[in-house]
Amino acid sequence: MPTSPELPSRRGVLRTAAAAGALGLTAHAATARAAAEIPAPALPGGLHPYRSPYLNWAGEIAHPGLWTCAPSDGQQIADLANWARAAGWRLRARGKAHTWSPLTITPGTDVDARVLLVDTTTHLTATELATPPAGVPGAVHAQTGVTLEALLGFLADHGLGVTNTPAPGELTLGGTLAIDAHGTSVPAEGEAARPGHTYGSLSNLVLELTAVVWDAASGRYVLRTFTRGADAACDVLAAHLGRGFVVEAVLQAGEESAMRCVSRVDVPADELFAAPGSEAAAGGCTFADFLATAGRVETIWFAFTDRPWLKVWSLSPQRPATSRPVTGPYNYPFSDSVPTVVSRLAGRLVADAAWYLAPELGALQYTVAASGLTATLSKDLWGASHHLMFYLRPTTLRETANGYAILTRRADVQRVISEFAGFYRERLAAWARNGRFPVNGQVEIRVGGLDQPVDVAVPGARPPLLSVVRPHQDHPEFDCAVWVDVLTLPGTPGAPEFYRELERFCLAAFDGGHALVRVEWSKGWGYTDTAAWADREVIHSVVPASFGTAQWAEGTRLLHELDPHGVFGNTFLDALLAP
């Protein structure tokens, strides 16, 4: 039976008024009206539909209740696909809805839309060890509804792990593969590549995928398994943006390792993001300096503050004497659970339209982080890598975010970060002088590797075709990506317009010279002055061009061949991925 949607709490201030309206007092009436207008679908194989609300991470894409079902195996999903084709419905895989973009459902989806959510998290969660390719320590066979926290915990129990993972452990494997989810890592100086690992996205670990696809010979949707290096379909399904349905995956894995994570809040932004060769960069505290030493760096730069929260992870087989050992994930409780003082101030911004308090909110968030690190003895941690890489719970501040990956040379990372940070800071100050405060969250900056085929232990492997960190054939010199996100509370006035300024700057500054920008699939992009995912030029021209004409054409063609009837899609994906 479906569970009831979670009750509002302090976290309620982190959702937009629009989302509250969608799921508030009118939700029951809207659901009842939908039920009257369209009866429960008669699903195949004894599957029972039920109404379930949909709410994405920031609450900006919401629906009061779509018909939903929870299949127990891949064959039931194939049966659903054949039913959907005949009945004129579309299927959308539903994991944890930890996304910002309209890849599952689109904003404004009709109450009575013929869209069936397919819950993968109830039954499709099995994991087992698989036979690894030669030279690789291990491999895992997993169903795509398993969470990353459960999957990496299973691997760790067998001495295995991965180099990159997103910070939230509650993401599903299927969701992370759909959008080539990433972490933050490049080789530190002197660090050798480790078998089974990749500095690229999780999608680059794929060895085999089982998906529901169209079979022209039988005229039906069927389950089919595709192998990396042998089947082009595997290359596109490894990052399919929701335009396919992967049921199971086999991933390679390397040896698990212990890591150290040191947090600092004393390095000024002027030094951390300094221009290469400048006086401020001479002190050895630039982002690139920390990257050279450890290879794994993240900065969280709260709005209108001058000292970011800097995290530096490093491989550390033995515990340093100053490090506190940890035995589980989520070791920053002051960040995972929103402190009352922060929720109250955020509530004032939203409820009272007191957006001018953005500088105070940024300063308060910095203070909470700085004092929390000291109070919880979290400045220097040591433990299993997956325990240190998972640090974001669903109870954290719910913000909207834009997102881009800027491909560049390792030698130009500091230049790219300095240029982005300089433009962001100048524009934020200019807006503030005019009494406008479009950002009240933070800037997050990470650096990761690209999806290099050499990391994959099968002959003939190619990078996932639509991975954001797929190497660009015209720029072999680009060997890493700077990931940038700017976060703000949903509904903040002027945010889309500000995001558009940042996007236009990135497109102009990182146009393929010393760097090339691509959009991050799960975040906000394609901005007009009023909305995300709405700029037709970005959707139809800029995004395809950033991948290269041939690669984009091959990827969209394969997705269409695997699902020519568009059962796995929505109107946004129809426009973005038109063959």
Side-chain angles (χ1 to χ4, degrees):
M1 295 293 292
T3 57
S4 300
E6 69 179 21
L7 296 174
S9 64
R10 284 186 300 166
R11 200 167 58 190
V13 302
L14 314 178
R15 314 244 179 157
T16 62
L23 294 176
L25 297 177
T26 62
H28 295 297
T31 303
R33 184 169 63 252
E37 292 174 355
I38 180 169
L43 302 181
L47 286 167
H48 300 290
Y50 56 89
R51 286 282 184 182
S52 177
Y54 179 88
L55 186 71
N56 77 338
W57 174 256
E60 294 175 302
I61 301 177
H63 195 287
L66 288 166
W67 288 112
T68 306
C69 70
S72 58
D73 58 33
Q75 184 55 53
Q76 285 192 325
I77 299 174
D79 294 341
L80 280 171
N82 289 308
W83 163 82
R85 181 205 169 201
W89 282 63
R90 305 188 93 169
L91 306 182
R92 307 307 300 134
R94 176 186 181 148
K96 295 296 185 178
H98 191 134
T99 183
W100 288 260
S101 61
L103 301 185
T104 302
I105 67 170
T106 57
T109 296
D110 290 340
V111 171
D112 60 350
R114 289 178 174 261
V115 174
L116 181 73
L117 296 179
V118 181
D119 172 25
T120 63
T121 65
T122 300
H123 301 298
L124 301 175
T125 59
T127 56
E128 62 181 2
L129 292 180
T131 302
V136 170
V140 61
H141 185 177
Q143 293 179 310
T144 50
V146 68
T147 64
L148 293 187
E149 184 176 347
L151 177 62
L152 266 63
F154 173 82
L155 286 172
D157 288 342
H158 295 86
L160 300 171
V162 303
T163 292
N164 274 339
T165 182
E170 53 94 35
L171 306 180
T172 63
L173 174 61
T176 57
L177 292 181
I179 51 88
D180 63 289
H182 64 94
T184 178
S185 71
V186 292
E189 289 185 352
E191 179 181 331
R194 296 180 294 156
H197 288 269
T198 182
Y199 296 105
S201 72
L202 283 172
S203 295
N204 202 39
L205 298 175
V206 166
L207 299 174
E208 185 179 284
L209 294 174
T210 299
V212 176
V213 300
W214 177 253
D215 178 62
S218 64
R220 295 182 58 80
Y221 284 90
V222 298
L223 271 178
R224 183 166 294 164
T225 298
F226 302 99
T227 303
R228 187 89 174 266
D231 300 313
C234 195
D235 300 333
V236 74
L237 289 172
H240 58 76
L241 281 64
R243 188 58 176 81
F245 205 121
V246 175
V247 178
E248 299 175 3
V250 177
L251 309 176
Q252 69 179 36
E255 292 182 353
E256 171 70 319
S257 59
M259 294 179 68
R260 181 188 192 186
C261 184
V262 174
S263 287
R264 296 180 60 174
V265 290
D266 62 331
V267 182
D270 286 345
E271 290 186 49
L272 195 58
F273 308 134
S278 66
E279 182 178 351
C285 285
T286 67
F287 194 107
D289 290 326
F290 291 107
L291 200 66
T293 301
R296 297 152 179 85
V297 182
E298 176 190 63
T299 59
I300 301 175
W301 184 18
F302 299 107
F304 300 100
T305 65
D306 63 355
R307 294 176 186 270
W309 176 4
L310 169 69
K311 292 194 192 86
V312 181
W313 294 265
S314 56
L315 296 176
S316 181
Q318 302 298 321
R319 179 175 74 87
T322 58
S323 298
R324 176 171 70 85
V326 299
T327 57
Y330 313 116
N331 294 291
Y332 306 106
F334 54 88
S335 176
D336 291 333
S337 298
V338 183
T340 300
V341 289
V342 173
S343 66
R344 285 176 176 170
L345 186 54
R348 283 197 62 192
L349 266 73
V350 176
D352 301 337
W355 304 106
Y356 60 88
L357 294 175
E360 284 77 3
L361 181 59
L364 181 59
Q365 288 178 290
Y366 169 82
T367 299
V368 166
S371 60
L373 286 167
T374 299
T376 61
L377 303 178
S378 300
K379 287 185 176 180
D380 190 348
L381 304 175
W382 178 87
S385 63
H386 67 294
H387 287 160
L388 293 181
M389 290 188 292
F390 289 141
Y391 59 86
L392 188 66
R393 290 185 186 272
T395 49
T396 193
L397 200 64
R398 296 289 184 105
E399 297 168 301
T400 192
N402 69 353
Y404 304 91
I406 306 169
L407 277 60
T408 191
R409 298 185 308 148
R410 176 78 175 267
D412 284 327
V413 162
Q414 188 66 27
R415 176 183 175 184
V416 167
I417 291 174
S418 176
E419 290 169 346
F420 178 86
F423 182 82
Y424 162 79
R425 180 155 50 182
E426 186 278 323
R427 294 312 301 151
L428 192 66
W431 279 57
R433 287 193 296 272
N434 289 323
R436 303 181 70 189
F437 299 88
V439 176
N440 42 57
Q442 60 273 5
V443 178
E444 296 178 349
I445 302 176
R446 306 174 181 89
V447 174
L450 304 187
D451 285 343
Q452 302 290 358
V454 70
D455 297 341
V456 187
V458 293
R462 297 193 299 169
L465 280 166
L466 299 182
S467 168
V468 176
V469 286
R470 175 187 175 88
H472 197 291
Q473 65 173 11
D474 296 335
H475 294 282
E477 72 278 15
F478 295 164
D479 56 5
C480 63
V482 178
W483 295 91
V484 295
D485 307 297
V486 180
L487 294 87
T488 197
L489 290 172
T492 301
E497 183 182 351
F498 186 82
Y499 282 145
R500 179 175 172 82
E501 283 192 17
L502 287 178
E503 184 170 87
R504 288 290 155 179
F505 165 77
C506 289
L507 293 176
F510 312 125
D511 62 352
H514 66 290
L516 175 71
V517 65
R518 286 177 179 158
V519 302
E520 184 175 359
W521 296 128
S522 64
K523 300 289 179 62
W525 47 271
Y527 287 95
T528 64
D529 285 347
T530 57
W533 319 293
D535 187 309
R536 294 178 61 85
E537 179 189 7
V538 172
I539 293 172
H540 297 294
S541 299
V542 172
V543 168
S546 70
F547 283 82
T549 303
Q551 286 74 19
W552 186 261
E554 182 184 4
T556 54
R557 174 183 59 80
L558 285 170
L559 287 174
H560 182 74
E561 290 176 358
L562 295 169
D563 177 23
H565 305 287
V567 167
F568 306 121
N570 61 34
T571 54
F572 175 73
L573 291 172
D574 292 344
L576 175 65
L577 299 172

